[in-house]
Amino acid sequence: MDPSPTESLQTWRTNETEGRESSVWRAMDLKKRRKILEKKKTIHDLIKRASSIDDPLSPFDSFRRYRRNDLSLYLESGRGDRLSSSVKHHIQKLLKTNMEGFYGSDWPIQAKVKRKEMSSADAHYIFVRELRFGKAYETSTQRTCMEGCNQIAGFVHYRFILEEEIPVLYVYEIQLESRVQGKGLGEFLMQLIELIASKNRMSAIVLTVLTSNALAMTFYMSKLG
């Protein structure tokens, strides 16, 4: 039995409405996808720009020196793909001293992973150097620690990355020689890290800590909150 003219008209109107609604939904989906892509590009550009900065310490000159609790230290920036062999050796030695006990038999595997991580072009460093024999001097282009500086007393390895869809400053390592621990330096460095993250518009600071490392857990959870 053929549909009546009224039924045919109703069917045509229904189809037309459904088609119009479908077009609206497609347009909304395209708009939503475009916003998501724009957001991803903005975050990507943000991380890329932050990662390309040669010296993230430059806006924070007051943090370049640490003179407290019988310590006289100088901070300078570094990059993973520009580390000298002597600096690499010192980093590896300090990591082994501070971390081998927590990893136990897994340390050889972890040491290999950390060696690869530390030389990445994405790796940023804050090196803590001791001032013993004079003053660090300045050039017209950058502040360097070449005269009067002794070995590295500690370092922070950090990167600007995407973590759970947001831009973060990820602290890979913060390692200090035992002789400079317990003198407020760790808190000072984390305060500087917060400033660097904020300056580069990172949404958070992320780090991982072994639960067996009681001192570190107390430092981050209790002292820094």
Side-chain angles (χ1 to χ4, degrees):
M1 182 177 177
D2 292 335
S4 67
T6 303
E7 289 175 337
S8 297
L9 181 61
Q10 288 176 341
T11 301
W12 178 80
R13 283 177 175 170
T14 299
N15 290 339
E16 182 185 34
T17 302
E18 288 176 350
R20 196 179 298 124
E21 288 177 349
S22 178
S23 297
V24 170
W25 279 111
R26 281 199 300 272
M28 289 175 66
D29 286 343
L30 284 172
K31 189 176 181 180
K32 187 177 180 181
R33 283 199 295 270
R34 193 177 296 117
K35 281 187 175 181
I36 291 172
L37 290 173
E38 287 174 355
K39 184 179 178 180
K40 285 185 175 181
K41 185 180 184 303
T42 300
I43 293 173
H44 176 269
D45 291 345
L46 194 67
I47 293 172
K48 185 178 179 181
R49 186 162 57 250
S51 297
S52 68
I53 297 173
D54 202 48
D55 183 10
L57 292 183
S58 58
F60 312 108
D61 279 347
S62 62
F63 278 80
R64 286 193 183 272
R65 287 175 174 79
Y66 185 83
R67 291 192 176 99
R68 301 176 195 171
N69 302 319
D70 299 322
L71 294 178
S72 183
L73 306 169
Y74 183 85
L75 275 57
E76 64 180 6
S77 294
R79 294 297 293 264
D81 55 350
R82 302 175 196 169
L83 301 179
S84 66
S85 57
S86 61
V87 169
K88 287 180 183 179
H89 177 73
H90 192 87
I91 289 174
Q92 291 170 19
K93 183 180 177 182
L94 184 53
L95 279 167
K96 180 179 172 68
T97 299
N98 287 356
M99 301 304 297
E100 184 178 20
F102 296 109
Y103 285 105
S105 59
D106 288 336
W107 174 247
I109 296 172
Q110 292 298 325
K112 186 177 180 180
V113 171
K114 290 179 184 296
R115 278 197 301 272
K116 185 176 180 181
E117 287 177 346
M118 74 180 187
S119 299
S120 169
D122 295 326
H124 281 270
Y125 284 89
I126 299 171
F127 290 114
V128 181
R129 294 183 179 273
E130 291 180 284
L131 289 168
R132 286 189 174 180
F133 307 112
K135 292 183 177 180
Y137 68 90
E138 299 179 5
T139 66
S140 59
T141 56
Q142 62 179 351
R143 290 170 173 78
T144 58
C145 185
M146 297 176 67
E147 287 187 350
C149 293
N150 206 320
Q151 69 180 27
I152 294 170
F155 70 90
V156 182
H157 166 192
Y158 65 97
R159 304 188 191 190
F160 300 102
I161 66 170
L162 184 69
E163 183 80 5
E164 296 184 2
E165 303 303 315
I166 63 171
V168 304
L169 187 157
Y170 200 113
V171 179
Y172 274 60
E173 304 283 352
I174 174 167
Q175 300 291 343
L176 301 175
E177 297 276 0
S178 59
R179 67 180 181 279
V180 299
Q181 293 179 18
K183 298 187 176 183
L185 179 57
E187 198 168 349
F188 178 82
L189 289 170
M190 287 306 297
Q191 185 180 354
L192 176 56
I193 284 293
E194 288 181 8
L195 290 172
I196 292 172
S198 177
K199 179 71 174 178
N200 290 280
R201 296 168 59 196
M202 297 294 109
S203 298
I205 297 170
V206 179
L207 52 85
T208 55
V209 182
L210 293 171
T211 53
S212 58
N213 191 341
L215 284 176
M217 290 291 289
T218 300
F219 173 70
Y220 291 115
M221 301 294 288
S222 299
K223 245 188 175 179
L224 299 184

